[in-house]
Amino acid sequence: MAQGKVLITGASGFIGFRTLVSALGAGYPVLAAVPSKEKADLIRSAPSVKHMNPGPKLTFVTIPDIVADNALADIVKTDIEYIIHAASPNIDHITASNQFDAQIIHPVVKSTSNILSAALKNPHVKRVVMTSSEGALIPYMELYQLASFNTFTDASPIPTPMTPYPTAMAALCAAQSQALTATNSFLAKNKPHFTVVTLMPSITLGRNDLASTSKDLLEGGNLQALRHLRGDKVSSNVPSTTVHIEDVAKVHVASLDTQKIEKTQNFMLNSDSLWYEAKDVVKKHYMDDVKKGWLSLEGEQPVNAVHLDSTRTQKVFGTKFIGFEKQINDLVGQYVELKAKEAKK
């Protein structure tokens, strides 16, 4: 049975690209939205894409600024049946608090609005999948600062964002909460012909197939995992919540099945994580790389205990999420592979 075409925004990002590969593997024709021709070339040249030889099943549309008012005007005219909105600002280098609104809050909320408005004008669209995060439903302070006795699920209420935002991550959490509120308001007002699934993964770890250098891995969730394994003594907390990139991509693609996932709903994606086990993985598999100075057992990473229950997600999608040991092993394995290539140059 032929699958309908899926538009994937943020296709050159960590989650977006892995979702693109999974969608192609599941038989979906993919229209990948990228900010430039260079990003399209990067995707085409990735080994996992070249191995599939997707031919006409993979096409590209260049959208330099997805936040612009008419950024998705041409999408209205296409025959896409599904949209996965995985585009998100990279906050790793946004440190000035006076930039948070312009570079984090506005892009997240406005791009969400643009996607929904475009889908409303396209009668072919059946399902929109929004990539959010655990921060949409877990208050920032309970996620990163204060140990909480609360158990969070995809049915938890949307928190009121704290202002002013103490960090870029706090601003991103607030943006995702606001985007979820905007989505709910849009659906109530417009009663569209399509349904919306919002996915809220925790810190996402694993191989990044678009990374060509070890430095390329030092972004997002992977950066949070690698910092202390490289010897950094990190002072800021990370939540005790992680999920494997393969699970995140798999659930994104499975969410396109409107017969199995019948209605608008939210899903949390998380596996129980014990961060101290990261060093155990290094001790077990990578002591030679410690001796080379590529990894270290001297780093420190404080952890904030968070109780996040994704039981319903795993039940609905008929899966069991990959555990923390493999998350770390896959990530660190790629990191030392890239370090070895760099050492030969």
Side-chain angles (χ1 to χ4, degrees):
M1 180 178 176
Q3 305 278 28
K5 183 180 293 185
V6 53
L7 167 71
I8 301 179
T9 71
S12 57
F14 182 41
I15 290 177
F17 176 74
R18 191 64 190 86
T19 300
L20 177 150
V21 172
S22 293
L24 288 172
Y28 287 94
V30 172
L31 174 61
V34 291
S36 65
K37 180 182 180 298
E38 289 73 22
K39 292 295 186 181
D41 292 340
L42 178 65
I43 291 171
R44 287 192 189 95
S45 64
S48 51
V49 172
K50 292 175 71 175
H51 176 74
M52 290 186 182
N53 190 25
K57 280 202 165 186
L58 175 61
T59 54
F60 294 87
V61 57
T62 301
I63 304 177
D65 182 9
I66 200 170
V67 177
D69 286 339
N70 295 312
L72 300 168
D74 291 340
I75 301 302
V76 176
K77 306 169 187 175
T78 67
D79 59 348
I80 57 171
E81 296 183 22
Y82 310 100
I83 300 174
I84 295 176
H85 179 41
S88 179
N90 183 342
I91 68 168
D92 291 338
H93 306 294
I94 303 175
T95 57
S97 59
N98 62 359
Q99 298 177 342
F100 291 167
D101 280 320
Q103 296 191 21
I104 301 174
I105 303 290
H106 178 68
V108 170
V109 178
K110 185 61 163 58
S111 64
T112 297
S113 175
N114 283 354
I115 288 290
L116 293 171
S117 297
L120 189 64
K121 296 174 183 176
N122 188 326
H124 301 291
V125 174
K126 300 176 181 178
R127 165 66 48 83
V128 175
V129 178
M130 296 289 189
T131 309
S132 183
S133 86
E134 60 187 348
L137 291 184
I138 303 178
Y140 170 77
M141 291 300 291
E142 292 185 71
L143 189 58
Y144 279 90
Q145 300 289 336
L146 304 173
S148 172
F149 294 103
N150 294 320
T151 296
F152 296 96
T153 72
D154 46 41
S156 296
I158 300 174
T160 301
M162 60 180 296
T163 54
Y165 312 116
T167 65
M169 180 57 72
L172 181 60
C173 291
Q176 290 167 336
S177 294
Q178 292 178 37
L180 185 56
T181 297
T183 298
N184 292 342
S185 298
F186 176 92
L187 295 174
K189 178 182 178 180
N190 295 283
K191 296 179 173 52
H193 58 277
F194 56 86
T195 50
V196 177
V197 169
T198 299
L199 302 179
M200 294 173 278
S202 54
I203 297 172
T204 304
L205 305 178
R207 294 182 65 92
N208 182 350
D209 290 342
L210 291 181
S212 58
T213 68
S214 59
K215 185 178 179 180
D216 291 339
L217 289 179
L218 302 180
E219 292 184 348
N222 283 341
L223 171 62
Q224 295 186 63
L226 285 171
R227 285 182 300 184
H228 75 295
L229 297 180
R230 297 169 67 244
D232 294 354
K233 298 185 184 299
V234 184
S235 59
S236 56
N237 291 340
V238 293
S240 59
T241 51
T242 64
V243 65
H244 199 291
I245 183 62
E246 290 182 13
D247 287 323
V248 175
K250 181 167 66 174
V251 171
H252 272 75
V253 176
S255 295
L256 302 179
D257 187 342
T258 56
Q259 293 184 331
K260 182 176 181 180
I261 313 299
E262 296 180 348
K263 60 184 180 180
T264 290
Q265 52 190 309
N266 305 329
F267 293 100
M268 284 281 199
L269 287 71
N270 178 61
S271 64
D272 294 329
S273 303
L274 299 171
W275 279 83
Y276 67 82
E277 291 182 349
K279 287 186 179 180
D280 292 340
V281 172
V282 172
K283 291 176 184 176
K284 185 176 180 180
H285 299 287
Y286 300 103
M287 287 306 296
D288 285 346
D289 302 295
V290 172
K291 294 175 183 177
K292 294 173 185 175
W294 298 346
L295 298 172
S296 172
L297 297 175
E298 303 303 318
E300 298 175 0
Q301 176 59 74
V303 178
N304 192 51
V306 180
H307 303 283
L308 176 53
D309 186 354
S310 65
T311 302
R312 188 181 82 91
T313 303
Q314 296 178 73
K315 182 177 180 180
V316 169
F317 289 93
T319 188
K320 180 174 176 56
F321 290 153
I322 296 167
F324 185 64
E325 181 176 352
K326 181 168 173 54
Q327 295 170 27
I328 291 294
N329 197 21
D330 286 355
L331 170 59
V332 174
Q334 184 184 19
Y335 180 76
V336 298
E337 286 171 15
L338 292 171
K339 292 293 286 186
K341 289 181 181 179
E342 292 161 5
K344 293 178 181 179
K345 293 181 179 179

